Amino acid sequence: MKNSTIRALSAVFLLLALTPLFPRDVEITIEDMELGIPLEGALIRSWDGREYICDGDGKALVSAPDGRPVTVQAAYPGYESARLALALGKSSFTLGLRLSGIMEGRELVIEAPRPGTSETRTGRSVAVTERQIAQTGEIGLIEDVMTTIKLLPGVGYTGMFNALPSIRGGEPGDMSASLDGYYISNPYHWGGGYSIFDPRMVQSAQLSHGIFSSRYGHTVSGLLEVSSKRPSSTETEFELGLNTSAANANLSLPLFGRGGIIFMGRVTYYDPVVALAKQTATVIPELEVINSVRVAPYIRSGAVVLNYRFFDNLELQSTAFWGMDGVGVHYKDGLSTMDGLTSSTDMLFDYTNYLGFITAGLSWNPRSDMLLKTTLGTGYHQSKVEGDMRYFVSKYFSRDFLSNYPTLALFSNYQNPYELNDNIISKEDALSIDAQGRVDFDWELSDGLVAAYGVQEMFTNFNDTMKFQGRLENFYNRLTASDRQKVADRLGAFPVDYSTLLVNYLTAYSSTVDNKLFSTSAYTLVEYTGPGKRFGSELGLRLDHFYLLGKGFSVSTTPVLNPRLNLDFNVFRNRGFVESFDISAGTGLFSSVNDMIALADERFNLDGAKPGRSWTSVLGGNIAFPGGLSLNVEAYYKYIFDRAYIPIVTDSSGVQPTPFLDGEGRIWGIDLMLQKLQSRYWDGWLSYSFNWTKYRDPNGANTGFSISGGSNEDGWYFPSYHRFHNLNLIVNIKPIPRINLYTRFGIADGTQLAKIVGPITSYPVYILEDNMFIEEYRRATVADENNRTTPSFPLDIKFSILGNNEAGKSRYEVYVAVENTLALLYTAQGNTTFNTYTGKEDTGSNSASYELPIPIPSFGFKLNY
């Protein structure tokens, strides 16, 4: 009797304890406040962070706790967001949304696509929502939206500390980026290690790597469009965040019920960490290297976003951004001897980067079927880099060298150690000031038929001062005729094998650029959506023209026409277990100007300059299954032509870049994405990309030095960043509403790797200025397109605890995470490295350069109110 009583009481206690885990379901209807029309695809964000999509009747079933009232938020394109309190005792609610006056593109039609997934269009683009960015981008030493973008199909694997991926085989620098419509030429911190896009400042991001609209250009590979968070027009909102390296704060204020303004900021706090480490180094000598840090690595950025609706048909949107980053190091290594090599190093490196812009757009609906939008903006980017490294080496010739090259040893007085002093200087101060303006007009001619027209002007003034001084090394037969003559004159009749002789020489390069680049664009397009969205099409034509004005030269390109066509077909709906099956086909031309061409001076000889171009075709299909499951498959072919590449001829008199604009590339591949939208217990996606990319530089020079290609004269070749396969599996597991376990597992094929065909051996190097030989070591390698680094298997794990107060007005999240979890067991392998002066092989450094051999832990906390 006693045991049964205890069991009964235990059962009652367990039932009471688990009561919060079994919420009630309430039905919420979202409709137009004035017309009472249900808003299909409206997004409802629940009290616990989950998101629900309304069906064709504007309805969604939302889980809510049974014992207390909570608040949810609803959003829909072209409408103001609104909140709704779910009172106890009711099972159904209705919330009306008010038009905000913003009706862009297809949003002129009341059947707007689903928020958060509307931008994901087969054959055109793939998008991620604020929630997806928070789950996948808020992780690591620096939280970054690019961490999320690198998980999408069509994006090449780069490893950590690299925010410059290849998009469908294009060069990493080919991707253009914009924030709230403002084009940013260099949206990166720490030289490309991370992007400026802080996940806590971003509402959504869209990567367009297919046949995207003629409204947009200035890229031959892809366009990343990032949208910042929008302020509420009715409520004050506050967000505070803290993570491994930075603190974040957002404050949103309403403006008289007609709009709002939001202030957002981020600042890293490595300064006190480095200061503490320096104090610790006074008692722990092994940490003395930290004293080399003159300026702790830092990132500081802030943004202000303003929305204000003057009338129902007139609204102002404005965004201002400012950011800076940098680091300073001064490392000195006194004279030391190891493995017979006496050396010393004195290295100074300072880096500072600034970026800022302000843009404003006015949207006006003169009639219900028309939208006129004007946008103006201006900004700047300044980067200062100063590097100065001095090193000294001294060493006796080895016995192998004396045996193999006895005459050269005599030439260099082998009884004494040879000595080499070097000073490498690299300085650059680059400042660009730009202004952008565009006018766009959309007109809904009839139901489902929209015509659009627009013009855009972009002006950039480049000021760049660059200085380089250092030693280069090349084979005798690759030297210029003048340097070959210098070597022959100094060696005279001394016996030497010129066919294998390596020559080390001092060279320098300096330039001062003051260029003005004018980019003029215009477009027109017609977009049609048939009844029931059974058929859709978009036919557009874009014109791009570039004019470059520099000191002593000017270049005007012939205007290029970029037609683009997209066709969309709904094959069927609601057959068996398939909700819908759609196919899409598109083809189009794209153009852009290489950044190095924009920084040219009169020595570049740019007669006949033209923009780089690509012709891309995409065929895709999308299958939607019940429960928010979808499969998207796209096959593409891309032909790149008029591509810029710059072989560099160097000798002891200086450096001469020689640009060519006849490069070409052939790219084809398949992208796949299997996605599960938000659900109670799990969601995520599986992305897979196969890519085949080869380039050709018809006038490539075998000099060993180049920019954007041009060092290969042997025909078609795989670029250094190319990978055949890239797979990412993203899974969010939610056993209870307050717990989220995020896991990312990837498989990435290796990159090109020189094939080792010989041992590490000593060989003579002739120092041109000092007229002497020194001994260095090398290992024979050959180019082999079938030889690659081993695959990468990144595994990231993030554990989050979510919560909120009883009313649902405040929410919090705490997470701990580990990136590169498998690093202690496996890292991708490349060739081993070795000391070029001693020949000693570093057997422990054969990890591929893009990998870290250790897991990277991180943590974070954020509070929303």
Side-chain angles (χ1 to χ4, degrees), residues 226-486:
V226 178
S227 299
S228 59
K229 288 184 177 180
R230 290 291 183 259
S232 170
S233 62
T234 57
E235 298 186 5
T236 298
E237 299 175 333
F238 177 72
E239 178 178 333
L240 179 65
L242 188 70
N243 55 66
T244 311
S245 303
N248 307 70
N250 297 348
L251 176 62
S252 175
L253 302 173
L255 295 176
F256 317 110
R258 290 185 170 273
I261 185 171
I262 182 171
F263 303 88
M264 300 176 284
R266 171 170 70 171
V267 58
T268 56
Y269 42 75
Y270 283 122
D271 304 73
V273 175
V274 171
L276 178 61
K278 288 184 177 181
Q279 291 296 321
T280 307
T282 60
V283 294
I284 305 178
E286 290 79 6
L287 296 179
E288 286 184 354
V289 68
I290 195 66
N291 293 318
S292 302
V293 180
R294 301 170 62 245
V295 178
Y298 65 89
I299 294 175
R300 297 162 191 154
S301 61
V304 180
V305 179
L306 169 71
N307 284 2
Y308 192 81
R309 189 183 66 255
F310 299 99
F311 308 102
D312 286 344
N313 65 342
L314 182 64
E315 179 166 351
L316 172 69
Q317 294 179 307
S318 181
T319 299
F321 176 89
W322 182 84
M324 67 178 298
D325 57 278
V327 65
V329 177
H330 187 191
Y331 174 75
K332 297 183 70 174
D333 183 14
L335 203 63
S336 62
T337 301
M338 182 179 294
D339 299 322
L341 176 70
T342 301
S343 63
S344 65
T345 303
D346 188 344
M347 182 183 70
L348 174 69
F349 177 77
D350 284 314
Y351 168 77
T352 307
N353 183 61
Y354 302 91
L355 174 68
F357 72 87
I358 182 170
T359 181
L362 201 60
S363 300
W364 177 45
N365 294 99
R367 297 187 343 196
S368 61
D369 57 355
M370 292 182 179
L371 171 65
L372 177 65
K373 186 172 183 179
T374 59
T375 306
L376 292 173
T378 184
Y380 81 104
H381 172 240
Q382 184 173 23
S383 177
K384 295 182 178 181
V385 181
E386 180 176 354
D388 191 330
M389 185 174 74
R390 302 171 186 268
Y391 69 88
F392 166 80
V393 295
S394 176
K395 183 177 176 294
Y396 284 96
F397 290 105
S398 68
R399 291 182 179 179
D400 289 341
F401 186 91
L402 295 175
S403 175
N404 295 329
Y405 307 99
T407 56
L408 297 185
L410 287 172
F411 184 89
S412 298
N413 191 12
Y414 70 92
Q415 294 179 345
N416 296 319
Y418 65 80
E419 295 183 354
L420 180 64
N421 285 283
D422 200 2
N423 183 200
I424 300 174
I425 299 174
S426 179
K427 296 181 179 180
E428 184 175 15
D429 187 350
L431 171 65
S432 62
I433 301 174
D434 60 84
Q436 303 177 19
R438 64 182 296 160
V439 178
D440 301 270
F441 176 68
D442 288 25
W443 186 6
E444 186 181 15
L445 302 176
S446 62
D447 289 343
L449 182 62
V450 176
Y453 316 90
V455 294
Q456 180 183 27
E457 181 68 34
M458 297 175 61
F459 165 77
T460 306
N461 187 16
F462 297 96
N463 286 276
D464 187 279
T465 302
M466 180 187 304
K467 178 183 179 181
F468 167 79
Q469 173 188 299
R471 288 191 172 275
L472 297 178
E473 196 170 281
N474 218 334
F475 285 100
Y476 173 83
N477 56 13
R478 290 185 178 181
L479 299 178
T480 61
S482 60
D483 271 2
R484 289 199 301 269
Q485 187 62 49
K486 286 182 182 179

Side-chain angles (χ1 to χ4, degrees), residues 66 299 518 630 733 768:
D66 203 21
I299 294 175
F518 299 84
S630 64
I733 301 174
L768 180 60

Side-chain angles (χ1 to χ4, degrees), residues 657-676:
T658 307
F660 291 94
L661 303 171
D662 57 357
E664 56 181 333
R666 293 174 182 169
I667 303 170
W668 65 273
I670 298 174
D671 291 338
L672 176 151
M673 188 172 189
L674 178 64
Q675 185 174 25
K676 170 70 173 177

Side-chain angles (χ1 to χ4, degrees), residues 95-123:
L95 177 62
L97 300 184
R98 179 179 178 179
L99 278 170
S100 67
I102 311 172
M103 294 186 291
E104 298 180 350
R106 294 177 62 87
E107 293 174 10
L108 288 165
V109 185
I110 198 66
E111 295 182 357
R114 293 181 176 181
T117 59
S118 60
E119 301 88 351
T120 298
R121 303 184 65 185
T122 302

Side-chain angles (χ1 to χ4, degrees), residues 719-720 722 750-756 779 781-790 829-832 846-849:
S720 60
H722 172 258
T751 56
Q752 288 279 288
L753 183 68
K755 185 176 182 178
I756 298 174
R779 180 170 54 195
T781 61
V782 296
D784 184 351
E785 64 180 28
N786 296 315
N787 194 53
R788 291 178 175 258
T789 59
T790 60
Q829 302 296 295
N831 292 334
T832 57
N846 57 348
S847 171
S849 61

